[in-house]
Short mmCIF file of all heavy atoms in Angstrom, two decimals:
data_model
loop_
_atom_site.label_atom_id
_atom_site.label_comp_id
_atom_site.label_asym_id
_atom_site.label_seq_id
_atom_site.Cartn_x
_atom_site.Cartn_y
_atom_site.Cartn_z
N ALA A 1 0.88 -1.17 0.02
CA ALA A 1 0.06 -0.07 -0.02
C ALA A 1 1.00 1.33 0.03
O ALA A 1 0.38 2.33 -0.41
CB ALA A 1 -0.87 -0.03 1.11
N LYS A 2 2.08 1.18 0.45
CA LYS A 2 2.95 2.38 0.53
C LYS A 2 4.12 2.29 -0.41
O LYS A 2 5.21 2.84 -0.07
CB LYS A 2 3.48 2.43 1.99
CG LYS A 2 2.37 2.59 2.97
CD LYS A 2 1.67 3.92 2.89
CE LYS A 2 0.66 4.14 3.87
NZ LYS A 2 0.00 5.54 3.76
N LEU A 3 3.98 1.56 -1.41
CA LEU A 3 5.11 1.32 -2.37
C LEU A 3 5.53 2.61 -3.02
O LEU A 3 6.79 2.89 -2.94
CB LEU A 3 4.74 0.30 -3.43
CG LEU A 3 5.96 -0.03 -4.40
CD1 LEU A 3 7.12 -0.65 -3.77
CD2 LEU A 3 5.41 -0.87 -5.64
N ASP A 4 4.69 3.35 -3.43
CA ASP A 4 5.12 4.65 -4.09
C ASP A 4 5.96 5.54 -3.10
O ASP A 4 7.00 6.03 -3.62
CB ASP A 4 4.00 5.40 -4.78
CG ASP A 4 3.44 4.74 -5.96
OD1 ASP A 4 4.28 4.22 -6.68
OD2 ASP A 4 2.25 4.74 -6.18
N PRO A 5 5.51 5.84 -1.91
CA PRO A 5 6.37 6.67 -1.00
C PRO A 5 7.71 5.97 -0.74
O PRO A 5 8.69 6.69 -0.67
CB PRO A 5 5.53 6.70 0.14
CG PRO A 5 4.15 6.44 -0.09
CD PRO A 5 4.16 5.60 -1.35
N VAL A 6 7.70 4.69 -0.65
CA VAL A 6 9.03 4.05 -0.38
C VAL A 6 9.93 4.21 -1.61
O VAL A 6 11.19 4.46 -1.48
CB VAL A 6 8.81 2.51 -0.17
CG1 VAL A 6 10.14 1.76 -0.12
CG2 VAL A 6 8.10 2.33 1.20
N LEU A 7 9.40 4.12 -2.85
CA LEU A 7 10.22 4.24 -4.02
C LEU A 7 10.71 5.70 -4.13
O LEU A 7 11.91 6.00 -4.43
CB LEU A 7 9.39 3.91 -5.33
CG LEU A 7 8.96 2.53 -5.41
CD1 LEU A 7 8.10 2.39 -6.57
CD2 LEU A 7 10.14 1.52 -5.41
N ASP A 8 9.95 6.73 -3.78
CA ASP A 8 10.23 8.00 -3.84
C ASP A 8 11.23 8.48 -2.82
O ASP A 8 12.32 9.23 -3.11
CB ASP A 8 9.02 8.95 -3.69
CG ASP A 8 7.84 8.74 -4.78
OD1 ASP A 8 8.28 8.24 -5.87
OD2 ASP A 8 6.82 9.16 -4.55
N ASN A 9 11.22 7.84 -1.57
CA ASN A 9 12.14 8.05 -0.61
C ASN A 9 13.50 7.62 -1.08
O ASN A 9 14.55 8.29 -0.83
CB ASN A 9 11.78 7.49 0.81
CG ASN A 9 12.71 7.70 1.86
OD1 ASN A 9 13.48 6.84 2.08
ND2 ASN A 9 12.71 9.04 2.37
N ALA A 10 13.57 6.41 -1.57
CA ALA A 10 14.90 5.77 -2.06
C ALA A 10 15.50 6.75 -3.08
O ALA A 10 16.63 6.90 -3.16
CB ALA A 10 14.62 4.49 -2.57
N ASN A 11 14.63 7.29 -3.93
CA ASN A 11 15.02 8.21 -5.09
C ASN A 11 15.74 9.48 -4.43
O ASN A 11 16.73 9.91 -4.81
CB ASN A 11 13.91 8.47 -5.95
CG ASN A 11 14.56 9.34 -7.22
OD1 ASN A 11 15.38 9.00 -7.85
ND2 ASN A 11 13.81 10.42 -7.24
N GLU A 12 14.91 9.92 -3.42
CA GLU A 12 15.36 11.21 -2.80
C GLU A 12 16.77 11.15 -2.16
O GLU A 12 17.54 11.97 -2.10
CB GLU A 12 14.36 11.68 -1.75
CG GLU A 12 13.08 12.18 -2.38
CD GLU A 12 11.97 12.44 -1.41
OE1 GLU A 12 12.15 12.28 -0.26
OE2 GLU A 12 10.80 12.60 -1.84
N LEU A 13 16.88 9.86 -1.69
CA LEU A 13 18.21 9.55 -0.98
C LEU A 13 19.32 9.03 -1.96
O LEU A 13 20.38 8.65 -1.56
CB LEU A 13 17.98 8.51 0.21
CG LEU A 13 17.15 8.97 1.28
CD1 LEU A 13 16.77 7.84 2.33
CD2 LEU A 13 17.78 10.06 2.05
N ASP A 14 19.05 9.08 -3.12
CA ASP A 14 19.93 8.52 -4.33
C ASP A 14 20.52 7.20 -4.10
O ASP A 14 21.67 7.04 -4.06
CB ASP A 14 21.06 9.62 -4.46
CG ASP A 14 21.85 9.51 -5.61
OD1 ASP A 14 21.31 9.00 -6.60
OD2 ASP A 14 23.07 9.87 -5.70
N LEU A 15 19.58 6.32 -3.79
CA LEU A 15 19.96 4.92 -3.50
C LEU A 15 20.02 4.07 -4.80
O LEU A 15 20.37 2.92 -4.75
CB LEU A 15 19.07 4.33 -2.44
CG LEU A 15 19.30 4.88 -1.04
CD1 LEU A 15 18.29 4.39 -0.08
CD2 LEU A 15 20.63 4.79 -0.62
N TYR A 16 19.35 4.45 -5.76
CA TYR A 16 19.11 3.61 -6.99
C TYR A 16 20.38 3.60 -7.90
O TYR A 16 20.59 2.76 -8.74
CB TYR A 16 18.04 4.16 -7.92
CG TYR A 16 16.69 3.87 -7.18
CD1 TYR A 16 15.91 4.91 -6.83
CD2 TYR A 16 16.19 2.56 -6.98
CE1 TYR A 16 14.74 4.78 -6.28
CE2 TYR A 16 15.01 2.50 -6.30
CZ TYR A 16 14.12 3.47 -6.04
OH TYR A 16 12.98 3.29 -5.36
N GLY A 17 21.38 4.61 -7.70
CA GLY A 17 22.47 4.58 -8.59
C GLY A 17 22.24 5.27 -9.97
O GLY A 17 23.04 5.18 -10.87
N GLY A 18 21.02 5.86 -10.09
CA GLY A 18 20.78 6.57 -11.30
C GLY A 18 19.18 6.76 -11.37
O GLY A 18 18.43 5.98 -10.93
N LYS A 19 18.96 7.86 -11.98
CA LYS A 19 17.38 8.24 -12.21
C LYS A 19 16.79 7.35 -13.05
O LYS A 19 15.61 7.02 -13.04
CB LYS A 19 17.27 9.69 -12.59
CG LYS A 19 17.89 10.70 -11.69
CD LYS A 19 17.08 10.77 -10.40
CE LYS A 19 17.75 11.83 -9.53
NZ LYS A 19 17.26 11.76 -8.12
N ASP A 20 17.58 6.78 -14.03
CA ASP A 20 16.85 5.79 -15.03
C ASP A 20 16.27 4.52 -14.19
O ASP A 20 15.25 3.97 -14.78
CB ASP A 20 17.75 5.40 -16.13
CG ASP A 20 19.03 4.81 -15.62
OD1 ASP A 20 19.51 5.19 -14.56
OD2 ASP A 20 19.71 4.09 -16.29
N VAL A 21 16.97 4.01 -13.23
CA VAL A 21 16.51 2.97 -12.52
C VAL A 21 15.16 3.22 -11.79
O VAL A 21 14.17 2.44 -11.80
CB VAL A 21 17.58 2.52 -11.48
CG1 VAL A 21 17.14 1.34 -10.53
CG2 VAL A 21 18.77 1.99 -12.14
N TYR A 22 15.11 4.46 -11.14
CA TYR A 22 13.98 4.88 -10.42
C TYR A 22 12.85 5.08 -11.57
O TYR A 22 11.69 4.57 -11.28
CB TYR A 22 14.21 6.26 -9.80
CG TYR A 22 13.08 6.92 -9.31
CD1 TYR A 22 12.29 6.56 -8.20
CD2 TYR A 22 12.61 8.18 -9.88
CE1 TYR A 22 11.31 7.23 -7.78
CE2 TYR A 22 11.51 8.87 -9.38
CZ TYR A 22 10.77 8.41 -8.32
OH TYR A 22 9.72 9.01 -7.82
N ALA A 23 13.04 5.59 -12.66
CA ALA A 23 12.08 5.77 -13.60
C ALA A 23 11.56 4.52 -14.10
O ALA A 23 10.25 4.32 -14.32
CB ALA A 23 12.52 6.63 -14.78
N ALA A 24 12.30 3.54 -14.28
CA ALA A 24 11.92 2.19 -14.75
C ALA A 24 10.99 1.52 -13.73
O ALA A 24 9.93 0.95 -13.96
CB ALA A 24 13.04 1.27 -15.03
N ILE A 25 11.38 1.56 -12.40
CA ILE A 25 10.64 1.00 -11.29
C ILE A 25 9.30 1.74 -11.19
O ILE A 25 8.21 1.00 -11.05
CB ILE A 25 11.44 1.05 -9.95
CG1 ILE A 25 12.61 0.14 -10.10
CG2 ILE A 25 10.53 0.45 -8.85
CD1 ILE A 25 13.57 0.13 -8.91
N LYS A 26 9.36 2.97 -11.29
CA LYS A 26 8.03 3.76 -11.20
C LYS A 26 7.08 3.40 -12.36
O LYS A 26 5.88 3.18 -12.20
CB LYS A 26 8.27 5.19 -11.06
CG LYS A 26 8.79 5.81 -9.81
CD LYS A 26 7.85 5.73 -8.74
CE LYS A 26 6.90 6.95 -8.73
NZ LYS A 26 6.11 7.00 -7.52
N LYS A 27 7.57 3.22 -13.51
CA LYS A 27 6.75 2.92 -14.71
C LYS A 27 6.19 1.47 -14.41
O LYS A 27 5.02 1.27 -14.75
CB LYS A 27 7.79 2.91 -15.97
CG LYS A 27 6.91 2.57 -17.23
CD LYS A 27 7.80 2.66 -18.49
CE LYS A 27 6.98 2.21 -19.62
NZ LYS A 27 7.80 2.45 -20.93
N THR A 28 6.91 0.56 -13.90
CA THR A 28 6.41 -0.85 -13.61
C THR A 28 5.35 -0.66 -12.62
O THR A 28 4.29 -1.28 -12.64
CB THR A 28 7.57 -1.71 -13.18
OG1 THR A 28 8.53 -1.80 -14.27
CG2 THR A 28 6.99 -3.01 -12.82
N ALA A 29 5.64 0.18 -11.50
CA ALA A 29 4.67 0.31 -10.44
C ALA A 29 3.25 0.84 -10.84
O ALA A 29 2.22 0.49 -10.24
CB ALA A 29 5.23 1.27 -9.24
N ALA A 30 3.28 1.60 -11.96
CA ALA A 30 2.03 2.14 -12.38
C ALA A 30 1.10 0.92 -12.91
O ALA A 30 -0.16 1.26 -12.90
CB ALA A 30 2.26 3.05 -13.62
N THR A 31 1.55 -0.17 -13.31
CA THR A 31 0.68 -1.18 -13.81
C THR A 31 0.90 -2.55 -12.97
O THR A 31 0.02 -3.39 -13.13
CB THR A 31 1.03 -1.51 -15.36
OG1 THR A 31 2.41 -1.90 -15.40
CG2 THR A 31 0.62 -0.29 -16.11
N ASP A 32 2.06 -2.70 -12.37
CA ASP A 32 2.24 -4.03 -11.73
C ASP A 32 3.02 -3.74 -10.34
O ASP A 32 4.36 -3.85 -10.47
CB ASP A 32 2.96 -4.90 -12.59
CG ASP A 32 3.04 -6.33 -12.11
OD1 ASP A 32 2.95 -6.59 -10.90
OD2 ASP A 32 3.46 -7.29 -12.87
N LYS A 33 2.38 -3.65 -9.27
CA LYS A 33 3.05 -3.28 -7.95
C LYS A 33 3.88 -4.43 -7.55
O LYS A 33 4.95 -4.23 -7.00
CB LYS A 33 1.98 -3.02 -6.93
CG LYS A 33 1.10 -1.76 -7.18
CD LYS A 33 1.85 -0.57 -6.97
CE LYS A 33 0.99 0.63 -7.07
NZ LYS A 33 1.60 1.93 -7.24
N GLN A 34 3.50 -5.65 -7.70
CA GLN A 34 4.37 -6.79 -7.34
C GLN A 34 5.67 -6.83 -8.06
O GLN A 34 6.70 -7.11 -7.56
CB GLN A 34 3.51 -8.14 -7.60
CG GLN A 34 4.19 -9.35 -6.91
CD GLN A 34 3.47 -10.63 -7.01
OE1 GLN A 34 2.36 -10.53 -7.55
NE2 GLN A 34 4.03 -11.66 -6.59
N ALA A 35 5.63 -6.62 -9.30
CA ALA A 35 6.88 -6.68 -10.14
C ALA A 35 7.78 -5.45 -9.80
O ALA A 35 8.99 -5.63 -9.65
CB ALA A 35 6.56 -6.55 -11.73
N ALA A 36 7.17 -4.32 -9.50
CA ALA A 36 7.89 -3.16 -9.08
C ALA A 36 8.66 -3.40 -7.80
O ALA A 36 9.72 -3.10 -7.49
CB ALA A 36 6.94 -1.87 -9.06
N ARG A 37 7.79 -4.02 -6.93
CA ARG A 37 8.47 -4.47 -5.54
C ARG A 37 9.60 -5.33 -5.63
O ARG A 37 10.64 -5.07 -5.03
CB ARG A 37 7.28 -5.02 -4.69
CG ARG A 37 7.69 -5.16 -3.21
CD ARG A 37 6.56 -5.63 -2.41
NE ARG A 37 5.30 -4.81 -2.49
CZ ARG A 37 4.23 -4.98 -3.03
NH1 ARG A 37 3.99 -6.26 -3.66
NH2 ARG A 37 3.21 -4.26 -3.13
N ALA A 38 9.52 -6.20 -6.60
CA ALA A 38 10.61 -7.12 -6.92
C ALA A 38 11.80 -6.40 -7.41
O ALA A 38 12.99 -6.61 -6.98
CB ALA A 38 10.23 -8.31 -7.89
N GLN A 39 11.68 -5.44 -8.24
CA GLN A 39 12.62 -4.67 -8.86
C GLN A 39 13.23 -3.77 -7.78
O GLN A 39 14.56 -3.77 -7.72
CB GLN A 39 12.11 -3.76 -9.85
CG GLN A 39 11.76 -4.40 -11.28
CD GLN A 39 11.12 -3.35 -12.23
OE1 GLN A 39 10.21 -2.56 -11.81
NE2 GLN A 39 11.50 -3.36 -13.45
N TYR A 40 12.55 -3.18 -6.91
CA TYR A 40 13.00 -2.41 -5.76
C TYR A 40 13.90 -3.22 -4.89
O TYR A 40 14.96 -2.91 -4.58
CB TYR A 40 11.85 -1.78 -5.07
CG TYR A 40 12.19 -1.34 -3.69
CD1 TYR A 40 12.78 -0.09 -3.45
CD2 TYR A 40 11.83 -2.08 -2.62
CE1 TYR A 40 13.13 0.33 -2.19
CE2 TYR A 40 12.16 -1.70 -1.36
CZ TYR A 40 12.70 -0.47 -1.10
OH TYR A 40 13.07 -0.01 0.12
N LEU A 41 13.34 -4.40 -4.57
CA LEU A 41 14.07 -5.22 -3.70
C LEU A 41 15.43 -5.78 -4.26
O LEU A 41 16.45 -5.78 -3.59
CB LEU A 41 13.32 -6.48 -3.19
CG LEU A 41 12.14 -6.25 -2.28
CD1 LEU A 41 11.29 -7.47 -2.05
CD2 LEU A 41 12.68 -5.64 -0.96
N THR A 42 15.49 -6.01 -5.55
CA THR A 42 16.72 -6.34 -6.22
C THR A 42 17.72 -5.26 -6.10
O THR A 42 18.90 -5.38 -5.85
CB THR A 42 16.50 -6.72 -7.75
OG1 THR A 42 15.60 -7.86 -7.77
CG2 THR A 42 17.73 -7.02 -8.49
N VAL A 43 17.34 -4.03 -6.33
CA VAL A 43 18.20 -2.86 -6.38
C VAL A 43 18.64 -2.70 -4.94
O VAL A 43 19.94 -2.46 -4.75
CB VAL A 43 17.51 -1.55 -6.71
CG1 VAL A 43 18.32 -0.37 -6.65
CG2 VAL A 43 17.19 -1.72 -8.36
N MET A 44 17.77 -2.71 -3.93
CA MET A 44 18.14 -2.51 -2.63
C MET A 44 19.11 -3.53 -2.00
O MET A 44 20.03 -3.23 -1.17
CB MET A 44 16.91 -2.35 -1.64
CG MET A 44 16.10 -1.13 -1.77
SD MET A 44 16.96 0.43 -1.53
CE MET A 44 17.04 1.07 -3.17
N THR A 45 19.11 -4.75 -2.51
CA THR A 45 20.01 -5.81 -1.98
C THR A 45 21.26 -5.68 -2.66
O THR A 45 22.28 -6.39 -2.31
CB THR A 45 19.37 -7.18 -2.16
OG1 THR A 45 19.03 -7.36 -3.54
CG2 THR A 45 18.06 -7.36 -1.24
N ASN A 46 21.42 -4.87 -3.67
CA ASN A 46 22.73 -4.67 -4.36
C ASN A 46 23.30 -3.32 -4.39
O ASN A 46 24.15 -2.92 -5.04
CB ASN A 46 22.48 -5.07 -5.89
CG ASN A 46 22.32 -6.54 -6.02
OD1 ASN A 46 23.06 -7.36 -5.73
ND2 ASN A 46 21.05 -6.92 -6.42
N VAL A 47 22.71 -2.48 -3.41
CA VAL A 47 23.31 -1.14 -3.16
C VAL A 47 24.72 -1.13 -2.81
O VAL A 47 25.04 -1.90 -1.92
CB VAL A 47 22.39 -0.26 -2.12
CG1 VAL A 47 23.06 0.91 -1.80
CG2 VAL A 47 21.03 -0.15 -2.71
N ASN A 48 25.60 -0.38 -3.43
CA ASN A 48 26.93 -0.25 -3.08
C ASN A 48 27.00 0.58 -1.88
O ASN A 48 26.77 1.79 -1.90
CB ASN A 48 27.74 0.48 -4.31
CG ASN A 48 29.20 0.68 -3.91
OD1 ASN A 48 29.61 0.33 -2.93
ND2 ASN A 48 29.98 1.23 -4.87
N VAL A 49 27.38 -0.03 -0.81
CA VAL A 49 27.54 0.67 0.53
C VAL A 49 28.92 1.22 0.81
O VAL A 49 29.15 1.61 1.95
CB VAL A 49 26.84 -0.11 1.61
CG1 VAL A 49 25.35 -0.40 1.44
CG2 VAL A 49 27.63 -1.44 1.82
N ASP A 50 29.77 1.09 -0.12
CA ASP A 50 31.17 1.48 0.20
C ASP A 50 31.33 2.93 0.53
O ASP A 50 31.96 3.33 1.51
CB ASP A 50 32.04 1.24 -0.96
CG ASP A 50 32.38 -0.34 -1.17
OD1 ASP A 50 32.21 -0.97 -0.23
OD2 ASP A 50 32.64 -0.75 -2.28
N PRO A 51 30.68 3.90 -0.17
CA PRO A 51 30.74 5.31 0.28
C PRO A 51 30.09 5.55 1.66
O PRO A 51 28.82 5.09 1.80
CB PRO A 51 30.08 6.12 -0.80
CG PRO A 51 29.92 5.23 -2.01
CD PRO A 51 29.84 3.84 -1.36
N PRO A 52 30.71 5.96 2.60
CA PRO A 52 30.14 6.15 4.02
C PRO A 52 28.81 6.87 3.95
O PRO A 52 27.90 6.58 4.71
CB PRO A 52 31.07 6.89 4.81
CG PRO A 52 32.49 6.63 4.09
CD PRO A 52 32.09 6.49 2.63
N ASP A 53 28.73 7.90 3.07
CA ASP A 53 27.43 8.61 3.09
C ASP A 53 26.30 7.81 2.52
O ASP A 53 25.16 7.94 2.92
CB ASP A 53 27.54 9.86 2.29
CG ASP A 53 27.78 9.70 0.82
OD1 ASP A 53 28.63 8.74 0.38
OD2 ASP A 53 27.08 10.38 0.04
N ARG A 54 26.53 6.88 1.70
CA ARG A 54 25.52 5.99 1.15
C ARG A 54 25.03 5.13 2.22
O ARG A 54 23.86 4.73 2.27
CB ARG A 54 25.98 5.17 -0.11
CG ARG A 54 24.74 4.49 -0.65
CD ARG A 54 24.86 3.90 -2.10
NE ARG A 54 24.80 5.00 -3.03
CZ ARG A 54 25.40 5.05 -4.11
NH1 ARG A 54 25.90 4.07 -4.53
NH2 ARG A 54 25.25 6.14 -4.97
N THR A 55 25.87 4.60 3.05
CA THR A 55 25.48 3.71 4.28
C THR A 55 24.46 4.47 5.10
O THR A 55 23.56 3.89 5.43
CB THR A 55 26.77 3.22 4.96
OG1 THR A 55 27.65 2.67 4.10
CG2 THR A 55 26.33 2.36 6.06
N GLY A 56 24.84 5.77 5.30
CA GLY A 56 23.92 6.56 6.23
C GLY A 56 22.62 6.72 5.59
O GLY A 56 21.57 6.73 6.13
N ARG A 57 22.57 7.01 4.23
CA ARG A 57 21.39 7.17 3.49
C ARG A 57 20.56 5.88 3.46
O ARG A 57 19.26 5.92 3.58
CB ARG A 57 21.64 7.76 2.02
CG ARG A 57 22.12 9.21 2.21
CD ARG A 57 22.34 9.75 0.74
NE ARG A 57 23.68 9.34 0.27
CZ ARG A 57 23.95 8.86 -0.85
NH1 ARG A 57 22.95 8.80 -1.89
NH2 ARG A 57 25.13 8.51 -1.34
N LEU A 58 21.10 4.78 3.31
CA LEU A 58 20.50 3.45 3.33
C LEU A 58 19.88 3.25 4.78
O LEU A 58 18.63 2.78 4.82
CB LEU A 58 21.46 2.43 2.95
CG LEU A 58 20.79 0.95 2.67
CD1 LEU A 58 19.81 0.99 1.63
CD2 LEU A 58 21.87 0.01 2.44
N GLU A 59 20.63 3.55 5.80
CA GLU A 59 19.96 3.47 7.04
C GLU A 59 18.75 4.41 7.24
O GLU A 59 17.81 3.97 7.88
CB GLU A 59 21.03 3.77 8.19
CG GLU A 59 20.51 3.75 9.60
CD GLU A 59 20.03 2.41 10.00
OE1 GLU A 59 20.32 1.36 9.36
OE2 GLU A 59 19.42 2.53 11.05
N GLY A 60 18.95 5.59 6.78
CA GLY A 60 17.72 6.54 6.85
C GLY A 60 16.51 5.99 6.06
O GLY A 60 15.31 6.01 6.56
N HIS A 61 16.79 5.29 4.94
CA HIS A 61 15.74 4.64 4.26
C HIS A 61 15.04 3.57 4.96
O HIS A 61 13.89 3.36 4.94
CB HIS A 61 16.21 4.29 2.83
CG HIS A 61 15.16 3.60 1.93
ND1 HIS A 61 14.01 4.32 1.49
CD2 HIS A 61 15.02 2.42 1.44
CE1 HIS A 61 13.41 3.56 0.70
NE2 HIS A 61 13.88 2.42 0.57
N ARG A 62 15.98 2.70 5.61
CA ARG A 62 15.37 1.61 6.45
C ARG A 62 14.50 2.19 7.52
O ARG A 62 13.29 1.53 7.73
CB ARG A 62 16.51 0.81 7.04
CG ARG A 62 16.02 -0.39 7.85
CD ARG A 62 17.15 -1.00 8.65
NE ARG A 62 17.62 -0.14 9.74
CZ ARG A 62 16.83 0.06 10.82
NH1 ARG A 62 15.70 -0.58 11.10
NH2 ARG A 62 17.32 0.89 11.83
N VAL A 63 14.95 3.15 8.17
CA VAL A 63 14.11 3.82 9.23
C VAL A 63 12.78 4.30 8.73
O VAL A 63 11.68 4.09 9.21
CB VAL A 63 14.84 4.92 9.91
CG1 VAL A 63 13.98 5.77 10.92
CG2 VAL A 63 15.94 4.32 10.71
N TYR A 64 12.83 4.94 7.46
CA TYR A 64 11.65 5.46 6.84
C TYR A 64 10.61 4.20 6.51
O TYR A 64 9.39 4.40 6.84
CB TYR A 64 11.92 6.19 5.53
CG TYR A 64 10.77 6.75 4.85
CD1 TYR A 64 10.20 8.01 5.15
CD2 TYR A 64 10.33 6.05 3.72
CE1 TYR A 64 9.16 8.37 4.33
CE2 TYR A 64 9.18 6.49 2.90
CZ TYR A 64 8.63 7.69 3.27
OH TYR A 64 7.58 8.12 2.58
N VAL A 65 11.17 3.31 5.90
CA VAL A 65 10.29 2.14 5.62
C VAL A 65 9.73 1.46 6.78
O VAL A 65 8.44 1.15 6.92
CB VAL A 65 11.03 1.10 4.75
CG1 VAL A 65 10.23 -0.12 4.58
CG2 VAL A 65 11.39 1.71 3.45
N CYS A 66 10.47 1.32 7.80
CA CYS A 66 10.03 0.75 9.11
C CYS A 66 8.86 1.60 9.76
O CYS A 66 7.80 1.01 10.18
CB CYS A 66 11.10 0.50 10.10
SG CYS A 66 12.29 -0.88 9.54
N ASP A 67 9.08 2.93 9.73
CA ASP A 67 8.00 3.75 10.21
C ASP A 67 6.80 3.76 9.50
O ASP A 67 5.69 3.73 9.99
CB ASP A 67 8.49 5.23 10.30
CG ASP A 67 9.61 5.44 11.47
OD1 ASP A 67 9.70 4.57 12.39
OD2 ASP A 67 10.21 6.45 11.50
N LEU A 68 6.85 3.57 8.15
CA LEU A 68 5.68 3.48 7.25
C LEU A 68 4.96 2.22 7.67
O LEU A 68 3.69 2.27 7.74
CB LEU A 68 6.09 3.39 5.81
CG LEU A 68 6.23 4.70 5.06
CD1 LEU A 68 6.64 4.45 3.51
CD2 LEU A 68 4.97 5.57 5.07
N LEU A 69 5.73 1.14 7.81
CA LEU A 69 5.01 -0.17 8.19
C LEU A 69 4.38 -0.14 9.61
O LEU A 69 3.25 -0.62 9.67
CB LEU A 69 5.99 -1.32 8.09
CG LEU A 69 6.57 -1.56 6.67
CD1 LEU A 69 7.70 -2.71 6.72
CD2 LEU A 69 5.44 -2.14 5.83
N LYS A 70 4.99 0.49 10.43
CA LYS A 70 4.40 0.67 11.87
C LYS A 70 3.10 1.41 11.72
O LYS A 70 2.04 1.04 12.40
CB LYS A 70 5.48 1.27 12.79
CG LYS A 70 6.50 0.46 13.18
CD LYS A 70 7.48 1.30 14.06
CE LYS A 70 8.70 0.50 14.36
NZ LYS A 70 9.82 1.29 15.05
N ASN A 71 3.15 2.55 10.97
CA ASN A 71 1.89 3.32 10.88
C ASN A 71 0.83 2.60 10.15
O ASN A 71 -0.32 2.83 10.48
CB ASN A 71 2.15 4.73 10.16
CG ASN A 71 3.12 5.54 10.99
OD1 ASN A 71 3.01 5.43 12.22
ND2 ASN A 71 3.88 6.40 10.32
N LEU A 72 1.12 1.73 9.17
CA LEU A 72 0.18 1.07 8.39
C LEU A 72 -0.45 -0.08 9.26
O LEU A 72 -1.70 -0.24 9.29
CB LEU A 72 0.95 0.33 7.22
CG LEU A 72 -0.06 -0.38 6.23
CD1 LEU A 72 -0.99 0.62 5.53
CD2 LEU A 72 0.89 -1.00 5.13
N ALA A 73 0.43 -0.66 10.10
CA ALA A 73 -0.05 -1.70 10.98
C ALA A 73 -0.96 -1.13 12.07
O ALA A 73 -1.97 -1.68 12.50
CB ALA A 73 1.10 -2.46 11.69
N ALA A 74 -0.70 0.15 12.50
CA ALA A 74 -1.43 0.79 13.54
C ALA A 74 -2.85 1.16 13.07
O ALA A 74 -3.85 1.37 13.92
CB ALA A 74 -0.77 1.98 14.08
N ASN A 75 -3.07 1.38 11.74
CA ASN A 75 -4.35 1.86 11.22
C ASN A 75 -5.11 0.64 10.76
O ASN A 75 -5.46 -0.17 10.42
CB ASN A 75 -4.09 2.79 10.00
CG ASN A 75 -3.44 4.10 10.59
OD1 ASN A 75 -3.87 4.55 11.61
ND2 ASN A 75 -2.64 4.60 9.79
#
C-alpha cells in the first residue's frame, strides 16, 4: 500500500544509482506493483554501501520504511 512513497524516498536519498532505475521501477509500479516491488528489492539488495554517506542514506531509508510499516499496522 505504501510502495510509491518508499520508491520516492529511495530516489530522494539517491539509492538507486541513477534516475533511470527509479524511472523504470516507477513505470512498472504504475501497472504491476508486485513486479515493481521485486525490482526495488533487487536494487536495494545490491546497493553499493562503500561510500560512507550512502551507508547513512540507506540506514535512513530503512528507518523510513519501518516507520511506514508501523503506521500502516496501527491503522
Side-chain angles (χ1 to χ4, degrees):
K2 300 292 183 178
L3 181 61
D4 287 323
V6 168
L7 298 176
D8 295 344
N9 180 260
N11 182 55
E12 291 167 8
L13 295 173
D14 193 27
L15 294 176
Y16 292 115
K19 298 295 181 192
D20 55 329
V21 176
Y22 169 69
I25 295 172
K26 286 291 278 193
K27 183 177 180 180
T28 302
T31 58
D32 188 343
K33 297 289 188 193
Q34 186 173 357
R37 193 174 299 111
Q39 289 173 314
Y40 161 80
L41 290 173
T42 297
V43 170
M44 288 299 111
T45 57
N46 292 296
V47 170
N48 178 1
V49 295
D50 288 335
D53 68 313
R54 182 160 291 156
T55 302
R57 288 182 278 139
L58 188 59
E59 175 62 15
H61 182 62
R62 184 193 66 77
V63 169
Y64 177 82
V65 171
C66 287
D67 286 347
L68 274 178
L69 291 174
K70 286 178 192 173
N71 290 333
L72 186 62
N75 292 324

